[in-house]
Amino acid sequence: MQTTASRTPFIALLPILLSVLLVACGGSSSPGSLSSTPPVAAPPPLPPAAPGSAFETRNSTARFLTQATFGPTPSDLDSLTGTSASAWFVNELARPASLITPEFDRYRQMQSGGADEQTGFSAETATFAFWTHAVAGNDQLRQRAAFALSEILVVSNGGGEVLSDIPEAVAWYQDILRRNAFGNYRTLLEEVTFAPAMGWYLTYMGNMKADPATGRMPDENYAREILQLFSIGLLELNRDGTQRLAADGQPIETYTNADITGLAKVFTGLEIAEPYEESIEDTSGASWQIPMRSVAENHSDAAKRFLGTTIPEFTDAQTSITQALDTIFAHPNVAPFIGRQLIQRMTASAPSPAYVERVAASFEAGSYTLPDGTPVGTG
């Protein structure tokens, strides 16, 4: 897996997830920078609920679990009503991630020996694995958070072609979201960038540097989408998610087409780990379950200018991507833009500016204090 030594403060997903849910339920927030150590074994019985807790009544427990999980069961309501929602959160953090790929492999073994080329194996298998965990997974908060992220960092096999023919690619991509659901958005963004499923879906797998002789220019698809959808959006925002306005009262665009042209040069030279002809014939899909590699001769050696940053000419692909993601990640729009989207996918379709601002503050701080006083997040 690609690694990054980011020079900017990390924005953690865990604190924003907690504040999205607990602020919605009336929980309080206070500054916190120390990380609690969640239990790693069978948790003890949860302490009783404090007045106003999300788990105070059966109805409030059902409402909270509808937002934080794929829905409560009768046994959940029986066991959790009257206990501490904060303690439930901490216990959820300790649960091992239920991943798609192992379930996917189990389906492969069950279906082996089928009549078609994929041995009875299809894109639907990843969907079956998803629903297995959504319905019966033991790590419901993680599964719910990963699903919310999948609606922002979108990859789809709905159009058929390679991502349907090689469903392992989407399964592995979904596991990236699950593994990083409580982690760091900067780390998640880099893993997504190198994921073959995303490379194919947004057409930058095999993206080549400009060729003046033929008029070829780098593919701009991922450069545009990572800004517009995955990080900062189209218009500059205040911390509360409202639009920043110029002196003439008009909204301020976050980037120009020149920024896209410059950023597109960054995402050149990325390729599947094996040549396409070999990987497409690999029925195990192994080449689509590891990060893409960079091909030096296909990466643009020109200077790359975007968002007020210049990456010098002759900078290699990995360094260029690291610097580009650092630049994007440091933009003040990230916290309110991503925070508001997570709110919309988990609690409220039209959150108030005050709600967005409280969530953005936790997002940027990388820490959150639960209603029972437990601090979480590493800052």
Side-chain angles (χ1 to χ4, degrees), residues 185-270:
Y185 196 69
R186 170 64 178 79
T187 301
L188 174 59
L189 205 57
E190 181 151 347
E191 290 200 32
V192 163
T193 298
F194 280 92
M198 181 62 79
W200 181 270
Y201 186 64
L202 290 185
T203 65
Y204 64 101
M205 179 189 289
N207 192 13
M208 300 185 72
K209 64 185 177 183
D211 184 350
T214 64
R216 182 183 69 211
M217 298 295 291
D219 186 294
E220 297 180 355
N221 203 9
Y222 189 63
R224 193 177 307 277
E225 300 297 81
I226 196 173
L227 294 183
Q228 180 177 339
L229 302 178
F230 300 169
S231 62
I232 65 175
L234 294 172
L235 301 173
E236 291 190 13
L237 302 175
N238 296 308
R239 200 184 198 190
D240 63 3
T242 58
Q243 293 178 6
R244 290 189 63 219
L245 302 178
D248 61 0
Q250 296 301 306
I252 305 168
E253 294 184 349
T254 52
Y255 60 86
T256 66
N257 197 62
D259 292 314
I260 298 299
T261 300
L263 185 58
K265 299 174 186 177
V266 170
F267 303 112
T268 53
L270 292 179

Side-chain angles (χ1 to χ4, degrees), residues 23-96:
V23 169
C25 293
S28 61
S29 171
S30 59
S33 59
L34 299 178
S35 174
S36 63
T37 303
V40 295
L46 297 180
S53 166
F55 288 173
E56 185 176 19
T57 68
R58 196 173 182 88
N59 284 344
S60 66
T61 303
R63 177 179 181 271
F64 184 87
L65 293 178
T66 298
Q67 295 172 331
T69 74
F70 280 101
T73 65
S75 62
D76 289 335
L77 297 179
D78 291 341
S79 63
L80 293 176
T81 300
T83 67
S84 167
S86 297
W88 177 86
F89 253 113
V90 173
N91 287 341
E92 284 293 302
L93 305 185
R95 297 184 185 277

Side-chain angles (χ1 to χ4, degrees), residues 29-362:
S29 171
S30 59
S33 59
L34 299 178
S35 174
S36 63
T37 303
V40 295
L46 297 180
S53 166
F55 288 173
E56 185 176 19
T57 68
R58 196 173 182 88
N59 284 344
S60 66
T61 303
R63 177 179 181 271
F64 184 87
L65 293 178
T66 298
Q67 295 172 331
T69 74
F70 280 101
T73 65
S75 62
D76 289 335
L77 297 179
D78 291 341
S79 63
L80 293 176
T81 300
T83 67
S84 167
S86 297
W88 177 86
F89 253 113
V90 173
N91 287 341
E92 284 293 302
L93 305 185
R95 297 184 185 277
S98 299
L99 300 179
I100 296 291
T101 301
E103 194 71 18
F104 192 82
D105 293 339
R106 185 174 72 85
Y107 279 115
R108 176 188 289 280
Q109 294 172 3
M110 290 169 57
Q111 298 178 10
S112 62
D116 63 20
E117 293 181 342
Q118 294 294 323
T119 62
F121 200 59
S122 72
E124 294 352 345
T125 309
T127 303
F128 296 153
F130 165 82
W131 281 112
T132 296
H133 294 316
V135 171
N138 192 42
D139 55 338
Q140 282 287 301
L141 179 62
R142 181 186 294 274
Q143 296 297 316
R144 185 67 181 80
F147 181 67
L149 290 168
S150 77
E151 296 181 310
I152 300 171
L153 302 161
V154 175
V155 157
S156 174
N157 55 18
E161 299 180 337
V162 166
L163 296 185
S164 291
D165 294 338
I166 309 178
E168 292 88 348
V170 172
W172 191 73
Y173 179 81
Q174 291 179 350
D175 281 347
I176 289 175
L177 304 182
R178 280 156 180 75
R179 287 189 289 98
N180 290 281
F182 297 156
N184 177 272
Y185 196 69
R186 170 64 178 79
T187 301
L188 174 59
L189 205 57
E190 181 151 347
E191 290 200 32
V192 163
T193 298
F194 280 92
M198 181 62 79
W200 181 270
Y201 186 64
L202 290 185
T203 65
Y204 64 101
M205 179 189 289
N207 192 13
M208 300 185 72
K209 64 185 177 183
D211 184 350
T214 64
R216 182 183 69 211
M217 298 295 291
D219 186 294
E220 297 180 355
N221 203 9
Y222 189 63
R224 193 177 307 277
E225 300 297 81
I226 196 173
L227 294 183
Q228 180 177 339
L229 302 178
F230 300 169
S231 62
I232 65 175
L234 294 172
L235 301 173
E236 291 190 13
L237 302 175
N238 296 308
R239 200 184 198 190
D240 63 3
T242 58
Q243 293 178 6
R244 290 189 63 219
L245 302 178
D248 61 0
Q250 296 301 306
I252 305 168
E253 294 184 349
T254 52
Y255 60 86
T256 66
N257 197 62
D259 292 314
I260 298 299
T261 300
L263 185 58
K265 299 174 186 177
V266 170
F267 303 112
T268 53
L270 292 179
E271 190 54 89
I272 192 75
E274 297 291 341
Y276 175 75
E277 294 78 7
E278 296 178 18
S279 65
I280 199 69
E281 296 174 359
D282 175 14
T283 57
S284 74
S287 300
W288 296 75
Q289 295 179 293
I290 55 178
M292 290 187 289
R293 63 191 173 101
S294 58
V295 180
E297 57 266 30
N298 295 336
H299 180 70
S300 175
D301 55 11
K304 307 165 181 76
R305 298 179 178 86
F306 57 93
L307 300 181
T309 293
T310 299
I311 298 176
E313 59 182 353
F314 305 114
T315 301
D316 65 87
Q318 176 63 69
T319 304
S320 293
I321 291 172
T322 296
Q323 293 183 11
L325 295 182
D326 284 349
T327 297
I328 294 168
F329 183 74
H331 196 287
N333 262 36
V334 175
F337 183 72
I338 297 300
R340 190 173 192 275
Q341 290 193 73
L342 287 172
I343 292 170
Q344 290 176 317
R345 284 155 180 80
M346 300 190 80
T347 61
S349 60
S352 68
Y355 185 3
V356 174
E357 185 168 18
R358 291 194 296 271
V359 169
S362 293

